[in-house]
Amino acid sequence: MSAFSKATPEERRRFWLLLLIALVILGAGIGLRDPWPSDEPRFTLAAKQMVESGDWLFPHRGTELYADKPPMLMWTEAASFELVRWWRLAFMLPSLLAGLGTLLLVYDLGRRLWNRRTGLYAAGGLLLAFQFVYQSQRAQIDPLVVFLITAANWGLLRHLLAPPDGGAKANWPMYWLGCFCAGLGVITKGVGFLALLMLLPYAWAAYRGWGGIARPGRGAWWRWLLGLAAALAAIALWLVPMLLAARARAGDPAYPAYVNDILFHQTAKRYANAWHHIHAWWYYIPILLFSWLPLSLLYPGCLPRWRQAWQQREARVLLPLGWVLLVLLFFSASPGKRDVYILPALPMLALACAPFVEELLPKRWLRVAGLVFITVLGTAMLGLGGYALLSHAPRVAQFASDRDLADRGAALWWMCVVLGVVQLGLVVALRVRRAVWAVAGGMAALWLAWGCWAVPLLNPSSSASALMAEVRGHLAPGEQLGLVAWTEQNLLMLDRPAVDFGFKQPWHVQFARAVQWQAQAPATRWLFVQQPAMGDCVDRAKAISLGHANQRDWWMFKADALIPGCLPGAKVDEAPDADPDATP
């Protein structure tokens, strides 16, 4: 059936069912939690400060400029808040829409290049992949940059590949749109230009005379250059106003430093001479195998079919697959590596697998592999929950204590037990014949349990909402709070004005400035301090211990708790941007 023929009622039902399932899975937990460290609170805090201050051009973290990332995600979160007026929904809305948009783009490519069933397989395989759903349920930059890079790939492939029944005419508007989206990806995370690497496998296919690619004809060089202009135009939407505003404020050294940091230190220098997350060249191999489960179960069946497609000069497979390999090589060459860096390659990998899924699904080995995967997952969940409920292991008690979970975290462990029983029940009930539904149901159960059961339990401690609620409870009307050695979630969840003394400033410098500030009105000013930052300069008997939250111990006190003449030395400092927080 032609990809462009009218959809049958059954095809329409399958498409809308997939979209509904995606909405439920990707949206599980939205509205039930606040931003969690380490990245979510800083982006939401910057967005919140944009809304409150009206300065959308330069993101702030407290009183300091935040130059680690371009402001695109912060803009979308701030705009979402202006639309819905509720931060619990607004901070997650960009990721949800980006995830849904990515699925729709992958579906449309599969539909156009092959047929609607292939489009469903491409989108369904992507939705099953663990890392895609996990990141789409996080308010980080990655879902948005994946969407923009996929949108760029969508436009480029619609130009570079000839549709099955549409001749070989190039689609220049789609090419320019793809380049524009790549530019938007650059001002989102800097790596949006990677989408343009799609031109390399296209150039190879054109040079080798492969069929199935669009032929732009002679004299089209200026049209190709317009793609570069489109990408630069997208980048200029942010870059030009930012540079002009920074130049106008050049009297403040913070703004030239911001420009240097975001344009050089956080991009080329970070790639070539990374200072965080140093790993070996093969770091991404386990990510491809395990983080992309259960989609990665298709690899053994797809590998010989990819080789056959190469031999048959099948450009529809070569271009997305070749682009995936180029992305992997690009990130493997840098010493700094994180699992999310290669996430933009996942949609194109799902697309490259999709044409062979219908042939592979009846294979017994694939169905057995799927059942084994869900069996292992279900057994692990059941075993973890049962062990935690029945044992008296110190680690279980410590975990529950660190996260303020009642009854040794029994509710969380019962969730693991229920999830394991559901997944194993699906394996027993559906068996090899319907293994596909066992895998899909098992993954859906995982995400629904996580989003609707675990997230509300972990939110008070993970987001610092409980900690900052206690802080607010100690503040009388008219009293002020100063923050020392703070984290973004502290200021975000405080939900009232506070004074900070810098974020990247050394802790002993923050403490000294805070003491001076407090001395100006000792009766009404409190300090909120992370324990190592105050050293031995605070009388604990006169201070209020706020307990342990976000893997740190916190205190608040008035001026009478200070030991006269004592200031902590630089030895207590910890790098404030080292991100010791771990995702729960």
Side-chain angles (χ1 to χ4, degrees):
M1 180 180 294
S2 170
F4 301 97
S5 60
K6 186 176 180 180
T8 66
E10 180 65 22
E11 288 173 334
R12 285 196 294 269
R13 283 194 296 269
R14 289 177 177 174
F15 169 77
W16 288 110
L17 179 60
L18 175 66
L19 195 60
L20 177 61
I21 293 172
L23 179 61
V24 171
I25 290 177
L26 299 184
I30 287 185
L32 300 179
R33 71 174 180 92
D34 302 291
W36 289 2
S38 56
D39 293 331
E40 291 182 349
R42 70 184 57 154
F43 299 141
T44 306
L45 176 62
K48 187 170 183 285
Q49 291 189 251
M50 286 179 178
V51 172
E52 293 172 347
S53 68
D55 183 1
W56 288 48
L57 195 54
F58 293 97
H60 284 74
R61 177 166 49 188
T63 55
E64 292 182 351
L65 292 173
Y66 175 68
D68 287 9
K69 296 292 186 294
M72 179 70 83
L73 176 64
M74 290 149 266
W75 286 345
T76 60
E77 289 192 15
S80 297
F81 176 78
E82 296 285 23
L83 180 65
V84 302
R85 308 304 296 180
W86 187 34
W87 278 113
R88 272 198 170 186
L89 175 59
F91 90 97
M92 281 296 303
L93 194 57
S95 292
L96 172 62
L97 296 179
L100 292 173
T102 303
L103 290 170
L104 289 174
L105 290 169
V106 170
Y107 165 81
D108 189 65
L109 278 175
R111 175 184 71 89
R112 291 177 180 276
L113 298 178
W114 287 278
N115 52 56
R116 287 184 173 83
R117 184 178 291 271
T118 301
L120 288 174
Y121 285 141
L126 179 60
L127 183 60
L128 283 175
F130 179 88
Q131 191 185 38
F132 175 76
V133 179
Y134 176 76
Q135 290 298 331
S136 295
Q137 290 186 349
R138 301 280 294 166
Q140 297 179 334
I141 289 180
D142 302 286
L144 185 58
V145 77
V146 167
F147 167 71
L148 291 172
I149 289 178
T150 304
N153 287 334
W154 177 80
L156 292 174
L157 288 174
R158 287 193 59 185
H159 168 69
L160 301 175
L161 291 174
D165 56 358
K169 186 177 180 180
N171 192 332
W172 289 107
M174 287 294 102
Y175 166 68
W176 298 325
L177 176 61
C179 293
F180 185 82
C181 290
L184 293 180
V186 170
I187 64 174
T188 301
K189 198 178 180 180
V191 296
F193 71 91
L194 289 175
L196 301 180
L197 294 179
M198 189 71 74
L199 297 173
L200 295 180
Y202 166 78
W204 168 264
Y207 173 75
R208 302 291 292 182
W210 286 26
I213 61 172
R215 306 290 180 178
R218 296 180 179 180
W221 61 269
W222 63 273
R223 298 177 185 265
W224 290 108
L225 289 181
L226 283 180
L228 176 61
L232 294 176
I235 297 172
L237 292 175
W238 162 71
L239 184 62
V240 172
M242 185 272 291
L243 290 176
L244 291 176
R247 182 177 181 181
R249 306 178 191 181
D252 184 345
Y255 289 91
Y258 173 89
V259 172
N260 178 72
D261 197 9
I262 198 165
L263 295 185
F264 302 104
H265 184 68
Q266 295 293 338
T267 51
K269 185 175 180 180
R270 188 166 190 164
Y271 174 83
N273 189 25
W275 56 90
H276 283 167
H277 312 291
I278 307 301
H279 297 284
W281 64 268
W282 46 263
Y283 170 78
Y284 291 116
I285 294 178
I287 308 301
L288 294 170
L289 295 176
F290 301 111
S291 292
W292 292 2
L293 279 167
L295 178 67
S296 58
L297 296 177
L298 294 172
Y299 294 168
C302 286
L303 283 172
R305 289 162 177 82
W306 287 335
R307 184 171 62 250
Q308 184 179 11
W310 172 276
Q311 295 170 349
Q312 295 174 351
R313 300 188 170 191
E314 179 55 82
R316 293 177 297 177
V317 175
L318 167 69
L319 264 64
L321 192 59
W323 181 81
V324 169
L325 293 175
L326 289 173
V327 171
L328 293 175
L329 289 174
F330 175 84
F331 284 115
S332 296
S334 173
K337 300 176 179 66
R338 293 183 64 194
D339 57 346
V340 296
Y341 289 174
I342 63 168
L343 182 61
L346 182 54
M348 290 301 101
L349 182 67
L351 179 67
C353 293
F356 314 112
V357 171
E358 189 167 12
E359 179 185 355
L360 291 173
L361 285 181
K363 303 293 185 182
R364 183 176 178 83
W365 67 264
L366 180 60
R367 293 172 178 253
V368 171
L371 285 185
V372 170
F373 166 66
I374 294 299
T375 300
V376 170
L377 189 60
T379 302
M381 291 294 102
L382 182 60
L384 174 63
Y387 172 78
L389 286 170
L390 299 176
S391 74
H392 297 282
R395 289 186 178 182
V396 174
Q398 186 63 44
F399 179 90
S401 175
D402 289 345
R403 288 155 181 80
D404 293 327
L405 297 175
D407 195 19
R408 291 173 50 89
L412 184 65
W413 309 129
W414 274 114
M415 182 211 75
C416 295
V417 170
V418 171
L419 177 59
V421 169
V422 169
Q423 290 173 328
L424 294 177
L426 288 170
V427 172
V428 173
L430 299 177
R431 301 185 182 182
V432 175
R433 183 179 178 183
R434 297 182 178 87
V436 175
W437 297 109
V439 173
M443 293 302 292
L446 171 67
W447 295 120
L448 291 175
W450 169 255
C452 300
W453 192 333
V455 159
L457 293 173
L458 296 171
N459 183 65
S461 61
S462 297
S463 67
S465 60
L467 171 67
M468 302 318 291
E470 184 178 355
V471 171
R472 291 195 301 271
H474 290 290
L475 296 174
E479 293 187 327
Q480 295 176 284
L481 185 70
L483 308 177
V484 176
W486 53 286
T487 61
E488 295 94 342
Q489 59 265 29
N490 300 137
L491 182 55
L492 177 66
M493 300 310 301
L494 180 61
D495 200 27
R496 62 176 289 172
V499 177
D500 74 83
F501 309 94
F503 182 84
K504 289 191 173 183
Q505 288 292 332
W507 287 357
H508 70 286
V509 174
Q510 293 184 44
F511 192 92
R513 292 175 179 176
V515 168
Q516 294 176 0
W517 170 81
Q518 189 179 48
Q520 296 171 9
T524 59
R525 291 183 175 179
W526 291 80
L527 292 184
F528 170 83
V529 184
Q530 189 179 150
Q531 180 170 291
M534 61 190 194
D536 298 323
C537 295
V538 175
D539 184 351
R540 268 59 166 179
K542 297 180 181 179
I544 298 174
S545 173
L546 300 169
H548 190 81
N550 299 115
Q551 304 181 31
R552 300 170 173 89
D553 294 302
W554 301 94
W555 294 76
M556 63 183 295
F557 50 86
K558 284 190 172 181
D560 62 340
L562 289 168
I563 297 176
C566 178
L567 287 176
K571 64 181 180 180
V572 306
D573 285 345
E574 173 185 306
D577 58 348
D579 291 345
D581 297 291
T583 299

